[in-house]
Amino acid sequence: IIQPPSGQDYRTVSGDANEILESVLGNAFGGLFTFPEESSEIDIPSYQFDRYTGALTGFTKMLATKNARLNIEVIQGGANEAFEIMLSAVPIQDLSEEIEYSQDSRVNISIKESRRGINHLICLGKGELKDRQVVHLYAQLDGSISQKQYYKGLQERTAVYDNNNAEDLNELIEGGTEKLQEDMNYKKMNLEIQDMDLQIGDIVGGRDYNSGLSLKKPVVQKIVKIESGTEEIEYKVEGEE
């Protein structure tokens, strides 16, 4: 867990991404994790971790601000030597422009589009009754979120987000934004990928010619199955059910 230093509200870091990984995680797991000596060439000018967040979640969110991902690689030692796990920061590969999966690729693909989702979220923070913090967040036509209303009248769909544990207004807005992103209009893609070596965080594209929908999503799971000596790798993309 990434904790704030004593007497401070948040853990804030800056510098080369590899050096940050090492400084935050350090020797927390008895030397199981190691870090490259060379620079990642991914500079983090300043980043503030969420309070008491898990290391994986914190690193993932930090690196995403630089279009990068956490690379996890097992390094096998010599005979009778233990392996080690090297953590490093690397750029995300956006393969959606080079490789697009569709019915033409002979893969199983389905894209689900949800319309008429929530577009107005009333966020309730600390305080009681009239003194309670209240922030209104609105979905925009392009999918972004702001505090200016776009959908009105019959198009407006409103819900409430209750978080009286938010430390301040910024934390309330951050949590409300994540909640609205989950509940607003969305597209989800299910696909089966074969004969590709992808890593978690890489981005792939999909197109369903039957509906005309297309989108690109990052890989969020890589599952290796070995049965009777045969290896099979299964990938899951963000939002896949």
Side-chain angles (χ1 to χ4, degrees):
I1 302 299
I2 301 176
Q3 305 180 48
S6 178
Q8 299 184 28
D9 294 329
Y10 295 93
R11 176 74 180 269
T12 303
V13 295
S14 62
D16 181 76
N18 282 347
E19 294 178 358
I20 291 174
L21 298 181
E22 184 172 11
S23 66
V24 172
L25 201 58
N27 198 35
F29 294 94
L32 176 64
F33 294 107
T34 61
F35 308 88
E37 295 182 0
E38 63 272 12
S39 167
S40 67
E41 300 185 356
I42 298 171
D43 182 58
I44 308 292
S46 179
Y47 183 79
Q48 177 180 285
F49 289 107
D50 296 336
R51 288 170 56 84
Y52 299 99
T53 187
L56 179 59
T57 300
F59 290 156
T60 300
K61 292 179 68 174
M62 177 190 74
L63 294 173
T65 65
K66 288 295 182 177
N67 197 34
R69 64 173 178 83
L70 184 66
N71 190 62
I72 306 174
E73 184 179 6
V74 174
I75 308 296
Q76 182 63 52
N80 301 319
E81 292 183 358
F83 65 85
E84 59 186 29
I85 303 175
M86 181 171 287
L87 302 183
S88 61
V90 299
I92 290 174
Q93 292 188 90
D94 187 346
L95 304 173
S96 61
E97 299 298 328
E98 303 172 28
I99 305 169
E100 181 182 80
Y101 295 94
S102 66
Q103 288 89 343
D104 291 346
S105 306
R106 296 182 180 179
V107 298
N108 294 326
I109 179 173
S110 63
I111 298 179
K112 177 181 179 182
E113 182 178 28
S114 175
R115 300 179 181 178
R116 289 188 54 76
I118 300 300
N119 52 49
H120 175 194
L121 192 65
I122 303 173
C123 305
L124 305 179
K126 298 175 67 173
E128 298 291 336
L129 302 175
K130 63 181 178 60
D131 296 322
R132 192 164 191 189
Q133 290 179 329
V134 180
V135 176
H136 294 260
L137 297 179
Y138 301 96
Q140 305 300 303
L141 181 62
D142 63 359
S144 61
I145 294 173
S146 74
Q147 295 183 43
K148 181 179 180 181
Q149 187 171 11
Y150 178 82
Y151 295 98
K152 300 179 181 180
L154 293 176
Q155 291 185 315
E156 182 180 6
R157 294 178 59 81
T158 308
V160 174
Y161 168 69
D162 192 328
N163 184 4
N164 57 13
N165 294 321
E167 292 292 329
D168 53 33
L169 205 58
N170 288 334
E171 189 171 327
L172 178 63
I173 293 174
E174 182 178 345
T177 299
E178 291 180 358
K179 177 61 176 173
L180 184 52
Q181 287 173 336
E182 294 175 1
D183 296 344
M184 58 194 282
N185 296 352
Y186 66 84
K187 295 178 182 179
K188 292 184 177 181
M189 175 172 61
N190 292 341
L191 55 82
E192 293 182 6
I193 305 171
Q194 298 177 347
D195 302 324
M196 279 292 296
D197 184 18
L198 302 174
Q199 300 299 329
I200 293 175
D202 288 341
I203 298 172
V204 296
R207 180 182 300 274
D208 184 351
Y209 287 113
N210 294 328
S211 63
L213 296 175
S214 64
L215 75 164
K216 56 182 183 179
K217 290 286 186 178
V219 175
V220 294
Q221 288 188 40
K222 183 176 182 179
I223 304 167
V224 180
K225 299 179 181 179
I226 300 178
E227 185 175 352
S228 300
T230 301
E231 178 184 286
E232 178 182 324
I233 300 179
E234 176 183 342
Y235 299 96
K236 291 185 179 294
V237 296
E238 182 182 74
E240 187 170 351
E241 299 175 339

